[in-house]
């Protein structure tokens, strides 16, 4: 259970950090089809990695990622 929470918090923080940095350095270029670390496609990649690795802790990673993704949208970083 601890690992699940750790994955969720880790991906949450990493996703927020990447979105903020890309927003700052790309000057609002982290939008549209060329966006990195946003949306369903990134969540699907994390899910597939979890299935291939047979690691249930990736569920926490997906949850943390999706929460940070929504926060990034609300902040205007996407």
């Amino acid at each position: 259970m601890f690992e699940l929470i750790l994955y969720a918090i880790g991906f949450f923080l990493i996703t927020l950090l990447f979105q903020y940095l890309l927003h700052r350095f790309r000057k609002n270029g982290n939008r549209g089809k060329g966006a990195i670390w946003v949306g369903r496609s990134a969540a699907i990649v994390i899910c597939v990695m979890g299935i291939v690795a047979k690691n249930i802790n990736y569920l926490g990673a997906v949850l943390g990622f999706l929460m940070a993704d929504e926060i990034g949208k609300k902040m205007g970083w996407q």
Side-chain angles (χ1 to χ4, degrees):
M1 182 66 177
F2 177 71
E3 287 182 36
L4 188 67
I5 294 170
L6 191 62
Y7 270 75
I9 292 171
F11 265 77
F12 177 80
L13 294 174
I14 288 170
T15 302
L16 277 182
L17 177 67
F18 279 158
Q19 286 183 1
Y20 174 74
L21 291 174
L22 289 171
H23 173 73
R24 295 284 285 169
F25 293 122
R26 292 179 75 190
K27 305 293 184 208
N28 296 325
N30 197 31
R31 299 170 191 261
K33 295 185 181 205
I36 301 172
W37 273 83
V38 296
R40 291 185 189 140
S41 59
I44 291 171
V45 168
I46 296 170
C47 289
V48 169
M49 286 174 32
I51 291 170
V52 170
K54 297 180 183 175
N55 189 348
I56 192 67
N57 293 325
Y58 279 75
L59 173 63
V62 171
L63 294 176
F65 170 79
L66 292 175
M67 288 188 308
D69 191 47
E70 288 300 317
I71 290 173
K73 286 179 188 173
K74 300 237 187 272
M75 297 292 288
W77 295 343
Q78 299 180 22

